[in-house]
């Protein structure tokens, strides 16, 4: 795509619908452009709480930029004005020293504001502004590599993880990053800094410096100021232990809970009610989903025998999860406590290839719990999709769901 619409031009709706061939569920396809289009990373919302906007990334003008779909009429507005391609970052090692960071957008769904990084600068844009304009907040350390960011639930603090550029070499893929960056950081004594940026003034402070690679951050949705983050990467092809970490408001850091031998955890995220931290993983080859308190106490761990999934994120009420399965299906997963059982309800096919980060389905429930947004390249290009959540999705057949513990 080489067309270059002005930032405030409204592009026509691309919305269409179809019925999923497997489940009969109506699927909305929001984008049609013959290029990469995908919703924001699963640690950020992509839909505002008032259900007015759906935010996504697209390369339709020849460069990565951020757009917002008016969910009423389907009109599309561009929110960023990048002309310098892709900025290098976690998951995107092929980027350059200038451009938009695809890992950086984070949506404040309550105030309808978006935060992102272009070049080495942090910007904010207000979606409800009739003529949205980028507002520069601050400059980050030149050359440091960014990763997935997050805005606090009160909209006041934007967290950006930045890693010393000496940790990076000529990696061409995410998998090469995972294997090489942690080794360099350990051998050279390098750090990741967690920056807290004031969303109004741009005032910046270092909240923590960690002697390992941090690539995901997420504030407690309950508003406590607690921050969830990760220890990323492999050594000699084996995931590093104790992936999930906690930053207390006072500045102290600790692992959420020590991992056992033969165990790895992944895709940690806060339950939207803030009452637990959920993740999935494997132990001795057996998959599971689990939840712990902030203090690290295990609430439950449910084996997933026969169900392989790429990602698992909580529903807004904390009562279940939506998963993108390896077999191409998006499903609701409702653990039943205390029986260590689960109920699975198929929603629709995603059938994406997972060729690269942009093609990951990353299903994520809307803030109002009425639907799930996901990405798929099933049509040949990554596009943004949505399905409604069934009203009977929590019709338990005995036992308790996570919410009812």
């Amino acid at each position: 795509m080489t067309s270059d619409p002005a930032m405030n031009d409204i592009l026509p709706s691309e919305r269409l619908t179809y019925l999923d061939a497997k489940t009969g569920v109506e699927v909305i396809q929001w984008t049609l452009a013959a290029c990469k289009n995908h919703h924001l990373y699963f640690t950020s919302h992509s839909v505002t709480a008032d259900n007015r906007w759906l935010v996504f990334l697209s390369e339709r003008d020849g460069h990565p930029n951020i757009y917002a779909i008016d969910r009423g009429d389907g009109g599309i507005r561009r929110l960023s004005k990048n002309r310098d391609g892709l900025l290098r970052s976690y998951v995107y090692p092929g980027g350059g020293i200038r451009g938009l960071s695809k890992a950086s957008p984070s949506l404040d769904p309550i105030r309808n504001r978006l935060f992102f990084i272009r070049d080495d600068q942090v910007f904010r844009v207000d979606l409800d502004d009739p003529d949205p304009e980028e507002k520069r907040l601050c400059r980050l350390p030149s050359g440091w590599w960014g990763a997935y960011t997050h805005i606090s639930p009160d909209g006041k603090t934007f967290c950006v993880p930045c890693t010393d550029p000496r940790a990076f070499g000529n990696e061409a893929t995410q998998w090469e990053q995972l294997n090489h960056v942690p080794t360099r950081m350990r051998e050279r004594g390098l750090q990741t800094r967690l920056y807290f940026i004031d969303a109004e003034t741009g005032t910046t402070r270092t909240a923590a410096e960690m002697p390992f690679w941090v690539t995901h951050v997420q504030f407690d949705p309950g508003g406590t100021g607690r921050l969830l983050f990760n220890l990323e990467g492999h050594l000699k092809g084996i995931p590093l232990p104790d992936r999930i970490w906690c930053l207390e408001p006072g500045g102290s850091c600790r692992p959420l809970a020590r991992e056992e031998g033969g165990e790895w955890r992944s895709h940690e995220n806060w339950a939207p009610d803030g009452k637990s931290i959920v993740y999935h993983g494997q132990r001795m080859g057996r998959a599971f989903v689990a939840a712990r308190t902030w203090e690290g106490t295990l609430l439950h761990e449910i084996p997933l025998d026969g169900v392989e999934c790429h990602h698992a994120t909580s529903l807004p009420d904390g009562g279940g999860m939506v998963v993108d399965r390896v077999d191409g299906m998006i499903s609701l997963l409702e653990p039943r406590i205390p029986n260590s059982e689960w109920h699975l309800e198929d929603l629709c096919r995603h059938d994406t290839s997972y060729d690269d980060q942009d093609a990951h389905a990353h299903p994520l429930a809307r803030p109002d719990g009425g639907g799930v947004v996901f990405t798929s390249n099933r049509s040949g290009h990554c596009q943004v999709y949505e399905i409604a959540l069934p009203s009977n999705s929590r019709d338990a057949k005995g036992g308790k769901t996570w919410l009812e513990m």
Side-chain angles (χ1 to χ4, degrees):
M1 301 292 289
T2 58
S3 60
D4 186 12
M7 185 166 172
N8 295 328
D9 285 351
I10 298 178
L11 304 177
S13 173
E14 298 172 2
R15 184 184 188 274
L16 59 81
T17 62
Y18 63 91
L19 298 181
D20 182 77
K22 175 70 173 180
T23 65
V25 169
E26 181 178 79
V27 182
I28 300 172
Q29 182 174 337
W30 284 105
T31 62
L32 289 172
C35 63
K36 286 187 174 182
N37 307 270
H38 55 94
H39 68 305
L40 306 188
Y41 196 61
F42 73 87
T43 50
S44 170
H45 289 287
S46 285
V47 178
T48 54
D50 62 8
N51 222 19
R52 181 180 180 188
W53 302 106
L54 192 163
V55 178
F56 70 104
L57 285 149
S58 178
E59 298 181 4
R60 63 186 58 215
D61 66 353
H63 300 272
N65 270 297
I66 311 169
Y67 294 78
I69 298 173
D70 185 319
R71 292 171 58 80
D73 60 21
I76 301 172
R77 293 195 303 171
R78 195 172 76 190
L79 302 177
S80 61
K81 47 186 177 183
N82 175 44
R83 297 289 187 276
D84 294 308
L86 175 67
L87 182 68
R88 63 190 185 184
S89 69
Y90 169 58
V91 181
Y92 298 102
I97 60 174
R98 292 177 58 85
L100 181 83
S101 169
K102 280 191 174 185
S104 69
S106 183
L107 176 66
D108 179 346
I110 304 298
R111 296 154 198 88
N112 294 7
R113 304 198 301 184
L114 182 78
F115 299 81
F116 63 93
I117 297 168
R118 180 162 52 83
D119 302 338
D120 57 358
Q121 300 179 79
V122 175
F123 293 89
R124 189 191 79 209
V125 64
D126 297 345
L127 277 65
D128 291 335
D129 190 330
D131 297 309
E133 289 292 338
E134 299 174 339
K135 177 182 178 180
R136 180 184 174 277
L137 289 178
C138 67
R139 187 179 295 275
L140 297 168
S142 180
W144 283 54
W145 287 57
Y148 289 108
T149 67
H150 202 244
I151 182 69
S152 60
D154 61 7
K156 294 181 178 180
T157 306
F158 183 50
C159 180
V160 178
C162 286
T163 301
D164 193 314
R166 291 174 291 178
F168 301 87
N170 297 317
E171 290 79 25
T173 68
Q174 175 189 6
W175 306 113
E176 291 179 4
Q177 283 187 322
L178 292 173
N179 285 318
H180 297 155
V181 172
T183 301
R184 291 195 194 98
M185 293 190 71
R186 178 171 292 191
E187 291 176 348
R188 302 176 185 180
L190 306 178
Q191 294 180 324
T192 294
R193 297 173 185 166
L194 302 183
Y195 288 110
F196 279 11
I197 301 166
D198 188 291
E200 296 296 336
T201 67
T203 302
T204 303
R205 68 178 178 91
T206 302
E209 293 182 332
M210 306 308 299
F212 51 76
W213 194 20
V214 178
T215 59
H216 303 72
V217 294
Q218 190 180 26
F219 283 103
D220 177 5
T224 62
R226 296 166 171 169
L227 185 82
L228 192 66
F229 66 99
N230 72 319
L231 183 162
E232 184 66 90
H234 303 161
L235 284 179
K236 298 181 180 179
I238 300 174
L240 288 163
D242 301 332
R243 172 186 168 94
I244 306 173
W245 280 68
C246 304
L247 173 62
E248 299 282 1
S252 63
C253 300
R254 58 172 172 80
L256 174 67
R258 296 293 182 181
E259 294 179 14
E260 302 175 9
E263 176 185 359
W264 65 265
R265 301 170 186 168
S266 186
H267 295 111
E268 65 287 340
N269 56 100
W270 283 97
D273 58 10
K275 294 180 180 179
S276 63
I277 293 161
V278 299
Y279 57 93
H280 62 93
Q282 289 188 5
R283 184 181 300 104
M284 307 303 291
R286 190 179 191 187
F288 62 84
V289 293
R292 291 181 182 268
T293 67
W294 174 255
E295 293 74 24
T297 302
L298 181 66
L299 296 174
H300 40 259
E301 182 178 294
I302 310 297
L304 291 183
D305 296 332
V307 179
E308 294 184 82
C309 63
H310 293 284
H311 309 92
T313 54
S314 293
L315 299 179
D317 67 0
M321 310 181 84
V322 58
V323 298
D324 52 334
R325 287 162 42 189
V326 174
D327 63 7
M329 181 66 70
I330 290 180
S331 302
L332 285 176
L333 178 70
E334 291 191 322
R336 300 292 161 78
I337 308 300
N339 301 324
S340 295
E341 298 175 349
W342 41 262
H343 170 68
L344 202 65
E345 183 173 355
D346 293 341
L347 298 179
C348 75
R349 302 286 304 179
H350 63 75
D351 289 328
T352 194
S353 68
Y354 292 89
D355 289 342
D356 58 25
Q357 181 68 26
D358 299 335
H360 287 197
H362 283 152
L364 184 66
R366 297 190 328 233
D368 67 0
V372 172
V373 176
F374 65 97
T375 292
S376 173
N377 64 3
R378 60 185 298 169
S379 67
H381 296 280
C382 293
Q383 307 291 357
V384 181
Y385 299 83
E386 182 177 350
I387 49 175
L389 278 171
S391 59
N392 64 342
S393 64
R394 300 192 62 249
D395 182 19
K397 299 177 182 178
K400 296 181 180 179
T401 64
W402 291 16
L403 182 68
E404 296 165 331
M405 283 188 59

